[in-house]
Amino acid sequence: MLLICPVHTPEFLEKYSLGVEAHIGRYDKLPNWEQYISFTHGVHLPYAGLNLAAIDDNLRLRSIEATKIAIDMGCRYPVGKMVMHTMGIESLDGEPLGTYERLIEGIRELAEYASSKKITLCIENQAQHVPHRVIYGVTAEEWYRIQEDVNRKNVMLTLDTSHAACAAALLVGAEVRFSYMYEFLKHPERIGRVHWSDSRLTYAEAYYKDMHLIPGEGDLPIDFHRKIKSLDAIKTLEQKRPEEDVIKGLEFINSL
């Protein structure tokens, strides 16, 4: 099943057999959200202002509790997996804000809570937007390591291909950048959700830029898109674009 953002009419969703992903605290607060409830087959937990790795105990506890509340809210929808960001900020402008150990313990606590609800958490790889803000889970290696260190059966991964391109864009040379994208696919069995977008790496346009292009609109390899399509996971086209653009993306996906 393919999901999209809840910005199109129910008629459009029905015509193309599409669902939507509910972003708790954002999309489910839209005045017309009720019309999308029956189409909701994905849940994205909030992350703004949260830091599971925080040295500040109050912020860390607030982050954990806010996420637990969001898990409860997400349980109204027919999903077994929920997307979460790492919510792990290490430093800003060189000032330490969090630690890796606190991040891992925070995710473990959330995993235990989610398990009681029969929910699997899928940790999303993060986009590096600016150099002076260090967050956990940007590189493929650290993304996989976080899941390994959490070491809970109900913790999987969400692959965001646009975020992956941000990490690849930091490398020198187009061939190196394209090759690195496949590092995010080294363990497909661990990927439980996908946010599917295109990007541009030939000239490193994704350098500190989360492009979120419609699949087929960028220059990521066709083979890479084919591997994304073959993943045993629900995929979300995470773009807010006109209907004609969504249709182009669907046509590209069908051609793979």
Side-chain angles (χ1 to χ4, degrees), residues 5-256:
C5 296
V7 295
H8 301 290
T9 65
E11 292 74 22
F12 181 77
L13 297 176
E14 288 178 351
K15 181 177 180 179
Y16 291 96
S17 301
L18 299 167
V20 300
E21 184 175 83
H23 198 307
I24 303 301
R26 183 185 298 177
Y27 293 155
D28 62 343
K29 299 300 182 184
L30 294 171
N32 61 348
W33 176 248
E34 291 295 320
Q35 66 179 332
Y36 293 113
I37 290 177
S38 62
F39 294 96
T40 301
H41 295 282
V43 165
H44 195 311
L45 300 174
Y47 55 87
L50 306 180
N51 187 5
L52 296 176
I55 297 170
D56 181 328
D57 288 333
N58 289 331
L59 173 57
R60 186 171 178 275
L61 289 173
R62 285 201 308 271
S63 300
I64 291 171
E65 290 308 309
T67 308
K68 287 180 179 179
I69 291 169
I71 290 171
D72 289 341
M73 295 174 68
C75 284
R76 71 180 291 198
Y77 306 107
V79 301
K81 296 183 175 74
M82 296 185 185
V83 176
M84 65 173 287
H85 282 205
T86 60
M87 291 181 278
I89 305 170
E90 182 180 50
S91 63
L92 180 64
D93 292 324
E95 178 184 352
L97 296 179
T99 71
Y100 183 78
E101 292 73 22
R102 284 190 155 220
L103 171 68
I104 298 304
E105 287 304 318
I107 297 176
R108 284 176 179 167
E109 181 174 340
L110 291 174
E112 182 176 355
Y113 186 79
S115 179
S116 71
K117 310 284 183 179
K118 296 182 172 26
I119 294 296
T120 293
L121 300 177
C122 297
I123 302 171
E124 185 172 343
N125 59 304
Q126 300 302 284
Q128 186 68 51
H129 292 290
V130 290
H132 60 273
R133 183 174 183 263
V134 180
I135 55 178
Y136 295 109
V138 170
T139 66
E141 296 80 7
E142 188 171 61
W143 179 52
Y144 280 120
R145 180 192 167 197
I146 289 170
Q147 188 216 13
E148 291 166 2
D149 289 346
V150 169
N151 193 26
R152 295 294 183 269
K153 291 182 179 179
N154 67 322
V155 173
M156 296 183 71
L157 299 169
T158 296
L159 172 58
D160 187 305
T161 56
S162 184
H163 293 178
C166 288
L170 298 173
L171 304 175
V172 177
E175 288 188 15
V176 174
R177 291 191 285 269
F178 286 123
S179 177
Y180 187 69
M181 292 295 291
Y182 290 91
E183 292 297 308
F184 289 90
L185 294 173
K186 286 183 72 172
H187 302 286
E189 73 282 358
R190 300 192 199 178
I191 298 173
R193 289 278 173 164
V194 177
H195 287 169
W196 194 353
S197 300
D198 214 328
S199 192
R200 298 194 185 102
L201 285 176
T202 300
Y203 302 104
E205 291 175 66
Y207 189 71
Y208 293 128
K209 187 175 182 182
D210 187 8
M211 301 189 79
H212 274 282
L213 303 178
I214 291 285
E217 193 175 43
D219 61 13
L220 297 187
I222 294 294
D223 175 66
F224 180 80
H225 285 293
R226 288 195 180 115
K227 289 184 184 300
I228 294 298
K229 184 177 180 178
S230 70
L231 289 172
D232 184 20
I234 289 179
K235 296 142 187 108
T236 300
L237 303 183
E238 207 179 28
Q239 304 93 26
K240 296 180 181 179
R241 299 281 292 275
E243 290 182 1
E244 55 267 28
D245 288 346
V246 176
I247 293 170
K248 287 178 182 177
L250 297 177
E251 290 173 345
F252 172 77
I253 290 168
N254 289 334
S255 73
L256 296 172

